[in-house]
């Protein structure tokens, strides 16, 4: 597994002599740094390859886990574009065993300041091993409800649609409230989601209630009596 040990070293432009020798070809200091290239808009295949490799290691470890986040939505058949990372839910008590198994396979483990996940890098992509989803600890019951699905030909546990929607809604806040990515997930999975449990599990979250009301206005969900 190829590792990304850090940002690639970019060669200096030109290789000119320093200005101290009076060379007429000396470059100004800021010219020696090439502009950073923009990230490609779609990392989908690279993230899927990393997901498959990490998923295979986690399966071999024998510890329960489930794919979560955008890659989980992709596994459920939602045509999302993968751009950032791949996320796996694991039990906190399994973190040491799981990270050691990944380390033995050449995955670089990064200790973040947060205490609810472990970060790693492989194949140039970021991996999040999460113990707490939207402020709620990952439990054995949550992982037991996961569904085994093919992820680009490799089968692995994937967070169930209802749990996926609950976690996505509870992650919304006043500082991060983008309904756009959630709409195709809700539309695509609406017949596989227990919306009654979604409402129950997200009670008290104004962002979740606003999104569910929006789904009613868009006729994704039937309107409740008096709505």
């Amino acid at each position: 597994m190829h590792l990304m040990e850090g940002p690639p070293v970019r060669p200096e432009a030109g290789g000119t002599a320093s200005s101290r020798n009076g060379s007429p070809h000396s470059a100004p200091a800021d010219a020696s740094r090439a502009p950073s290239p923009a990230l490609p808009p779609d990392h989908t295949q690279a993230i899927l390859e990393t997901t498959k490799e990490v998923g295979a290691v986690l399966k071999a470890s024998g510890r329960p886990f489930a794919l979560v986040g955008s890659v989980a939505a992709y596994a459920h058949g939602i045509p999302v574009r993968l751009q950032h990372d791949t996320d796996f839910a694991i039990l906190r008590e399994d973190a040491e065993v799981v990270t050691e198994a990944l380390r033995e396979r050449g995955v670089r483990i990064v200790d973040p300041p947060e205490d609810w996940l472990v970060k790693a890098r492989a194949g140039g992509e970021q991996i999040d091993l999460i113990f707490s989803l939207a402020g709620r600890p990952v439990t054995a019951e949550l992982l037991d409800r996961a569904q085994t699905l093919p992820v680009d030909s490799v089968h692995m546990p994937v967070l169930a649609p209802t749990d996926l929607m609950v976690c996505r809604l509870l992650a919304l806040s006043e500082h991060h409230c983008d309904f756009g990515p959630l709409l195709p997930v809700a539309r695509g999975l609406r017949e596989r989601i227990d919306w009654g449990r979604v409402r129950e599990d997200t009670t008290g979250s104004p962002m979740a209630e606003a999104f569910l009301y929006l789904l009613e206005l868009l006729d994704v969900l039937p309107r409740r009596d008096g709505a």
Side-chain angles (χ1 to χ4, degrees), residues 16-127:
T16 59
S18 71
S19 58
R20 288 182 297 179
N21 63 11
S23 168
H25 302 293
S26 297
D30 59 354
S32 64
R33 296 180 181 272
S36 299
L39 287 175
D42 190 351
H43 283 208
T44 296
Q45 195 55 46
I47 289 175
L48 288 176
E49 292 300 322
T50 298
T51 300
K52 292 189 294 182
E53 294 193 44
V54 173
V57 175
L58 295 180
K59 287 167 64 176
S61 76
R63 305 293 171 145
F65 73 95
L67 185 65
V68 299
S70 297
V71 189
Y74 181 96
H76 280 295
I78 307 304
V80 296
R81 191 161 64 176
L82 308 178
Q83 295 176 281
H84 301 296
D85 54 21
T86 183
D87 303 317
F88 295 87
I90 63 173
L91 300 175
R92 183 180 290 273
E93 56 265 34
D94 290 339
E96 185 174 347
V97 172
V98 167
T99 53
E100 184 57 32
L102 291 171
R103 189 179 284 112
E104 288 176 357
R105 289 292 299 271
V107 176
R108 183 165 65 93
I109 305 299
V110 181
D111 292 326
E114 299 89 351
D115 63 356
W116 50 272
L117 83 166
V118 171
K119 289 184 177 290
R121 289 194 71 85
E125 302 299 332
Q126 181 170 297
I127 305 150

Side-chain angles (χ1 to χ4, degrees), residues 5 13 26 34 67-68 71-72 80 83 118 122 132-133 138 150 162 170-171 177 188 196-197 206-207 215 226:
E5 293 295 346
S26 297
L67 185 65
V68 299
V71 189
V80 296
Q83 295 176 281
V118 171
S132 178
L133 291 167
V138 173
T162 300
L170 290 178
C177 187
R197 186 159 76 80
M207 305 306 170
L215 293 183

